Amino acid sequence: MFTGSIVALITPMNYQGNVCRKSLKKLIDYHVYSGTSAIVSVGTTGESATLSHSEHSDVILMTLDLADGRIPIIAGTGANATAEGVLLTKRLTNTGVIGCLTVTPYYNRPTQEGLYQHFKIIAESTDLPQIIYNVPSRTGCDILPKTIARLSKIKNIIGIKEATGDLSRISQIRDLVNKDFILISGDDITALDSMQLGSTGIISVTANIAAREMVTLCILAQQGKFFEARRLNQRLMLLHQTLFCETNPIPVKWAAKYLGLIIEDTLRLPMTPLTKKGQNKMIQAIIKAGLYVKKEY
């Protein structure tokens, strides 16, 4: 459940900016069909920052309902206020989610001790497995390996999504934690290298539109078939890169609509639609990756 290709799922919306249940169902069916290991609902790619508190929980519960036990659901429960993180985590206890992905507090830039206390208090508020999410490029906050090692001693903090893109972090963390502590890549571009260094898989943006390809990539890496994995990854590399040609999830939402996976690529302000230049880049990346319009799922 915490290995292989895990998708950081987009949150589809209609013209009015409301969550589109029909498109969400289609996305979930697509990932079940493709063999995706699990879904992260309402993470960064799921536009957690522009959903209201009630919507945040509602989308996770809707995802659980539509998944209907066919694929595990990990809840995005990050917040920049510890009390808010506790509240959101408690709301999801006994709902069926298999764990929580909790991003480092954004904007307020806590110290390492503040980070330790933040995650400790959230973890102690629940029995749900907790995965820390480190993405300093988005949060302005970097949780360091020594702090991760301290947190790994808390029984239900089971792993980290490491999205710095710094491969040296994998060995640094691995040297400080027990062997059962899970390291998951959060960066599609370096994910294969990360898996070769010991990560168990990837929480992926690319998997939103190339689910089967990312599943295959992870299986090849798990089997130690890195020559074949690198050949596939090279075909996907332009896609990995171009999905960040503008701020995530702008490009991936546009691509999902282009490929027929969602009805609309609506975003909420301050996120704006993909530019024409970005669209042209995405089309070239989609062609190179060998993707095609998806059938109904």
Side-chain angles (χ1 to χ4, degrees):
M1 292 184 293
F2 301 109
T3 65
S5 177
I6 300 170
V7 62
L9 196 70
I10 57 177
T11 300
M13 299 174 186
N14 59 25
Y15 272 129
Q16 292 76 36
N18 299 316
V19 178
C20 179
R21 185 181 176 92
K22 182 177 180 180
S23 286
L24 183 58
K25 171 70 161 55
K26 187 172 183 179
L27 284 172
I28 294 167
D29 291 348
Y30 166 60
H31 285 287
V32 171
Y33 175 85
S34 300
T36 299
S37 296
I39 287 171
V40 171
S41 178
V42 196
T44 305
T45 306
E47 295 176 82
S48 57
T50 57
L51 296 179
S52 70
H53 292 173
S54 60
E55 284 178 317
H56 194 129
S57 301
D58 289 347
V59 173
I60 294 168
L61 294 174
M62 188 188 301
T63 304
L64 277 165
D65 179 48
L66 294 172
D68 195 24
R70 296 174 297 156
I71 187 170
I73 307 299
I74 301 166
T77 53
N80 62 342
T82 306
E84 185 180 331
V86 168
L87 180 62
L88 185 54
T89 301
K90 284 184 172 180
R91 281 181 189 166
L92 295 166
T93 301
N94 299 322
T95 60
V97 299
I98 63 164
C100 299
L101 180 70
T102 307
V103 72
T104 52
Y106 39 88
Y107 186 75
N108 45 18
R109 301 179 66 189
T111 63
Q112 294 300 303
E113 182 60 26
L115 287 168
Y116 174 78
Q117 294 296 336
H118 174 79
F119 286 109
K120 178 177 181 289
I121 288 171
I122 291 174
E124 290 175 347
S125 74
T126 182
D127 290 327
L128 285 170
Q130 301 290 302
I131 299 173
I132 298 165
Y133 177 18
N134 190 34
V135 58
S137 63
R138 294 293 292 247
T139 63
C141 173
D142 186 6
I143 186 166
L144 299 178
K146 287 185 178 180
T147 307
I148 295 164
R150 288 180 69 195
L151 286 164
S152 72
K153 294 177 172 58
I154 298 170
K155 65 176 183 178
N156 60 330
I157 296 182
I158 64 167
I160 183 166
K161 175 186 175 183
E162 176 54 56
T164 60
D166 179 0
L167 291 169
S168 69
R169 284 291 181 94
I170 304 302
S171 56
Q172 290 174 40
I173 296 168
R174 182 55 67 206
D175 286 344
L176 294 171
V177 298
N178 292 331
K179 63 180 181 179
D180 58 349
F181 189 76
I182 298 167
L183 273 68
I184 306 174
S185 173
D187 178 52
D188 284 292
I189 293 171
T190 59
L192 180 57
D193 291 323
S194 180
M195 285 187 279
Q196 193 161 10
L197 290 169
S199 295
T200 62
I202 170 74
I203 296 179
S204 171
V205 175
T206 301
N208 277 284
I209 58 171
R212 180 59 61 88
E213 289 80 0
M214 291 304 295
V215 168
T216 302
L217 183 72
C218 290
I219 290 172
L220 289 170
Q222 289 165 351
Q223 294 174 344
K225 297 179 180 178
F226 287 102
F227 177 80
E228 294 93 332
R230 291 197 179 281
R231 190 163 54 186
L232 173 56
N233 198 48
Q234 190 58 37
R235 175 160 64 87
L236 297 173
M237 185 54 69
L238 183 62
L239 188 65
H240 296 329
Q241 295 167 338
T242 308
L243 284 169
F244 291 86
C245 67
E246 295 178 25
T247 305
N248 179 43
I250 293 171
V252 71
K253 267 199 157 178
W254 183 89
K257 180 185 177 183
Y258 180 83
L259 289 166
L261 285 167
I262 59 176
I263 298 168
E264 300 297 338
D265 60 336
T266 304
L267 300 132
R268 289 182 179 177
L269 286 170
M271 308 300 279
T272 51
L274 188 63
T275 62
K276 187 64 177 177
K277 182 178 179 181
Q279 291 175 25
N280 291 335
K281 287 181 178 179
M282 278 307 315
I283 290 169
Q284 292 305 309
I286 286 167
I287 291 170
K288 183 166 184 181
L291 304 184
Y292 51 88
V293 174
K294 312 299 180 185
K295 67 177 184 178
E296 293 293 326
Y297 291 95

